[in-house]
Amino acid sequence: MINQYKFEDGPELRDLFITVDDPESHITAIETFITYRVVTKTTRGEFDSSEYEVRRRYQDFLWLKSKLEEAHPTLIIPPLPEKFIMRGMVERFSDEFIETRRKALHKFLNRIADHPTLTFNEDFKIFLIAQAWELSSHKKQGPGLLSRMGQTVRAVASSVRGAVKNRPEMFTEMNNYMETFSQKINLLDKIAHRIYKEERDYCNEMKEYGPIHTLWSASEEAIGDSLRGLAGCIERCCRATERRMAGLSEHLLPMLHEYVLYSEILMGVLKRRDQIQGELDSRVDALANKKTEKDLFSEEIGKLEDKVERANNALKADWDRWKQNMQWDMRSTFTNVAENNLRYYEECLATWESFLASQTVDLHVDEDSEDRP
């Protein structure tokens, strides 16, 4: 029996569990790529089985994201990790890179599973249960060329029109909020990476000092014990620094970068909402200038008004949900960082206090020995 627990934002019982693990490297004559095992366990009646296991590569995740955006243009689709990585961070296809991507893909699917609307998307279900050849066949059933051209033409036409005339104040405030949020989260992301780099350089330098003091102790018999004790302190502080760095790389850095990507996604969602609004505005303007075919235009405007209302309601609901999750992520992550920092400084302080106390005892012993006749 699969255990059930609550959604992040509602009383419903969770009934879909997804795990991304077991990365495998594939080398062909034309490319090298990684696939990941996706295991799904569910109690939902629309699934024929309670457990599925499939393998997916990165481009399959990209396909899923594009299908979700196509089906739900004003919902906030969770971000995927970038296809390419920044030079100087980690090597592509290294163990560190693959594990970082695996975690991000795992979070991507579970955020979709936890979403009250996206979790029931048909393409999401197919992604979870279809074997590779079935998924490939399903992908070929996508929108035709004329449909894609029509979407592109509407997007370009909307962008040419510029700002929409009748944008509700709520969405103007959302846009202003996201512009400020984007600036701040990008700055935090840069600062966090700089801190991590400085910590890494500091740790690498510390690793050299311990062995130096150990070697030094071999040639200084009078202070050999003190030098070895000093080397031990440096080594313990170095291990504490490594644990602190692991906390940054596993929690803070991924969270900040995820919300850097979220800021880009939110700006895209707001732009798509404006495109839908702009399409309605253009039809209203056209109706005002038309003396004939008013019934046809009125019917089309009615449909567009419904489309705008659905888009607005979807975004408003998702916006509140996203902000709540974002604030929880920020609070829990920074609290975790603060607690790790406290443990780090307490450990280092205790290490050096113990060392200094031992040296004070040795000094008193030496003084007593000198005072004896």
Side-chain angles (χ1 to χ4, degrees):
M1 182 69 179
I2 298 176
N3 293 328
Q4 293 182 321
Y5 57 90
K6 292 184 178 181
F7 275 115
E8 295 174 1
D9 59 341
E12 299 89 353
L13 289 174
R14 186 177 180 187
D15 52 10
L16 188 62
F17 301 82
I18 305 170
T19 303
V20 179
D21 60 11
D22 190 27
E24 285 185 1
S25 179
H26 302 262
I27 302 175
T28 68
I30 58 175
E31 63 176 339
T32 299
F33 60 93
I34 306 294
T35 63
Y36 301 85
R37 181 175 63 175
V38 178
V39 177
T40 303
K41 297 181 180 181
T42 183
T43 56
R44 290 184 184 175
E46 64 265 28
F47 287 83
D48 295 330
S49 176
S50 62
E51 184 169 345
Y52 297 87
E53 180 178 319
V54 297
R55 296 203 70 85
R56 296 287 180 256
R57 56 184 297 184
Y58 180 77
Q59 67 180 27
D60 297 327
F61 289 85
L62 281 177
W63 170 83
L64 174 60
K65 185 172 184 291
S66 68
K67 295 298 289 184
L68 293 174
E69 289 174 346
E70 179 185 320
H72 310 282
T74 56
L75 289 183
I76 303 168
I77 311 301
L80 276 174
E82 297 95 332
K83 183 175 180 60
F84 301 103
I85 57 177
M86 293 176 59
R87 184 177 301 175
M89 293 298 294
V90 293
E91 293 295 327
R92 193 180 182 205
F93 300 135
S94 67
D95 291 344
E96 181 182 356
F97 169 78
I98 292 171
E99 177 60 13
T100 299
R101 171 166 285 185
R102 183 201 65 77
K103 289 179 179 178
L105 297 176
H106 176 88
K107 179 175 283 189
F108 169 74
L109 292 183
N110 279 277
R111 284 198 185 278
I112 295 171
D114 287 346
H115 194 283
T117 301
L118 299 178
T119 189
F120 297 107
N121 178 273
E122 186 63 23
D123 288 307
F124 179 48
K125 177 184 174 184
I126 291 170
F127 176 91
L128 295 178
I129 69 175
Q131 293 304 311
W133 66 270
E134 294 174 310
L135 182 63
S136 178
S137 176
H138 181 74
K139 286 180 180 180
K140 295 175 182 177
Q141 301 173 12
L145 176 61
L146 292 178
S147 175
R148 293 196 299 270
M149 287 177 62
Q151 294 170 5
T152 303
V153 168
R154 286 195 295 272
V156 171
S158 178
S159 64
V160 169
R161 282 193 295 270
V164 292
K165 295 184 297 183
N166 300 313
R167 178 198 284 164
E169 182 64 25
M170 170 183 292
F171 300 110
T172 299
E173 292 175 358
M174 284 185 189
N175 195 76
N176 294 337
Y177 178 95
M178 287 311 305
E179 287 179 354
T180 302
F181 179 85
S182 178
Q183 293 174 358
K184 291 182 177 179
I185 198 68
N186 274 279
L187 180 60
L188 280 172
D189 186 52
K190 291 178 181 177
I191 291 172
H193 276 88
R194 188 173 70 227
I195 291 173
Y196 181 80
K197 182 180 181 301
E198 290 174 354
E199 287 284 313
R200 184 181 60 197
D201 294 343
Y202 168 68
C203 187
N204 289 336
E205 289 181 2
M206 265 207 306
K207 287 180 180 179
E208 298 178 1
Y209 283 115
I212 288 174
H213 285 81
T214 300
L215 291 173
W216 186 8
S217 67
S219 58
E220 296 284 351
E221 185 176 349
I223 56 173
D225 290 341
S226 296
L227 290 173
R228 284 188 289 273
L230 188 59
C233 286
I234 294 173
E235 184 179 348
R236 286 191 289 276
C237 288
C238 189
R239 288 198 297 268
T241 302
E242 288 178 331
R243 287 192 291 273
R244 185 187 182 194
M245 289 171 57
L248 293 176
S249 64
E250 292 175 10
H251 301 290
L252 180 63
L253 297 184
M255 185 276 293
L256 290 175
H257 192 64
E258 182 183 24
Y259 281 97
V260 167
L261 298 178
Y262 259 128
S263 69
E264 298 171 1
I265 288 171
L266 261 296
M267 296 303 290
V269 168
L270 289 166
K271 184 177 293 185
R272 289 195 291 273
R273 194 223 69 87
D274 283 354
Q275 288 170 357
I276 297 171
Q277 177 81 55
E279 192 175 355
L280 172 61
D281 292 345
S282 69
R283 291 295 184 272
V284 171
D285 291 342
L287 177 61
N289 297 326
K290 283 277 185 179
K291 295 182 180 179
T292 60
E293 301 178 349
K294 285 197 172 185
D295 291 341
L296 180 62
F297 268 88
S298 297
E299 182 180 354
E300 186 178 359
I301 286 173
K303 293 179 180 179
L304 285 171
E305 286 175 341
D306 290 341
K307 184 177 180 181
V308 169
E309 184 177 2
R310 290 195 302 271
N312 290 347
N313 290 338
L315 179 52
K316 283 188 286 188
D318 230 19
W319 172 260
D320 293 337
R321 183 179 185 278
W322 176 80
K323 282 189 71 175
Q324 181 181 2
N325 287 341
M326 178 269 291
Q327 290 166 358
W328 188 91
D329 285 343
M330 293 281 180
R331 181 168 57 249
S332 62
T333 301
F334 280 108
T335 299
N336 177 268
V337 170
E339 290 173 349
N340 285 342
N341 285 344
L342 283 173
R343 283 193 293 269
Y344 168 77
Y345 288 114
E346 287 172 352
E347 183 176 351
C348 288
L349 181 61
T351 296
W352 286 106
E353 284 181 340
S354 176
F355 170 72
L356 292 174
S358 69
Q359 297 306 298
T360 302
V361 171
D362 291 344
L363 181 61
H364 287 322
V365 170
D366 291 341
E367 288 178 347
D368 291 342
S369 299
E370 292 176 359
D371 291 340
R372 289 177 189 150

